[in-house]
Amino acid sequence: MPEPLPAREGQGIAPPERGAWLRRGISRNGGPLVEDREVVWLQAGPHFADSRGFAGVTTFDGSRVRFHHLEGEPGEDTGAFRWEGANLIEWGTNPDGSTFLEVWTPLPGAEGDTGSWTGAGYRVVRVGRHVVHVDSRTGTYWRT
């Protein structure tokens, strides 16, 4: 996969209202684009879940997206999005101050029902055939 274009500050778009996304690569602190494990991100309206083990809600201020972690790994990360062909490019800052650039590609099977459910100590997001469950220990991805 070719390297994405450099990030452009202040030119982000709103996150998709719904989607099931597979991460194709991440660059940490300006390093090379690599992928070391399967990561799935689901977005259903303002609700999101990430198979790395955090879930919550997103807000958009007109150029930057904030991922408010309400379950799992604590914190809040801030990023921006842009389209590059069918891929969604995200760049931003982690809770620890490190920077990232991620390449997300849509997963097939995202059509159909969506929803978000919470309970004591967990959050679940579903988009079509994709489900991510997050609790205080881990994030888990299933395809139904």
Side-chain angles (χ1 to χ4, degrees):
M1 168 178 290
E3 293 287 320
L5 298 171
R8 298 178 300 266
E9 290 300 317
Q11 297 181 3
I13 61 170
E17 280 291 311
R18 73 175 278 145
W21 304 90
L22 176 65
R23 189 176 74 184
R24 292 294 187 192
I26 183 168
S27 167
R28 293 177 175 90
N29 295 314
L33 191 66
V34 298
E35 187 52 67
D36 52 3
R37 62 182 168 154
E38 179 183 73
V39 175
V40 172
W41 157 46
L42 302 181
Q43 187 79 33
H47 306 281
F48 79 91
D50 189 301
S51 65
R52 290 173 284 187
F54 51 93
V57 296
T58 55
T59 57
F60 181 63
D61 68 8
S63 64
R64 311 282 293 167
V65 177
R66 289 193 187 281
F67 289 85
H68 307 275
H69 300 196
L70 302 177
E71 196 62 58
E73 181 182 309
E76 181 175 287
D77 50 286
T78 304
F81 290 103
R82 72 171 183 271
W83 290 105
E84 212 170 272
N87 293 325
L88 193 58
I89 308 300
E90 177 188 6
W91 70 97
T93 306
N94 291 309
D96 66 3
S98 62
T99 61
F100 65 89
L101 184 144
E102 293 174 295
V103 178
W104 298 95
T105 190
L107 284 165
E111 307 78 23
D113 294 334
T114 64
S116 176
W117 300 268
T118 60
Y122 73 90
R123 184 172 292 258
V124 176
V125 174
R126 175 183 179 188
V127 177
R129 298 183 63 194
H130 306 279
V131 177
V132 171
H133 172 276
V134 174
D135 59 34
S136 62
R137 295 180 318 257
T138 191
T140 306
Y141 164 68
W142 294 280
R143 182 178 169 124
T144 60

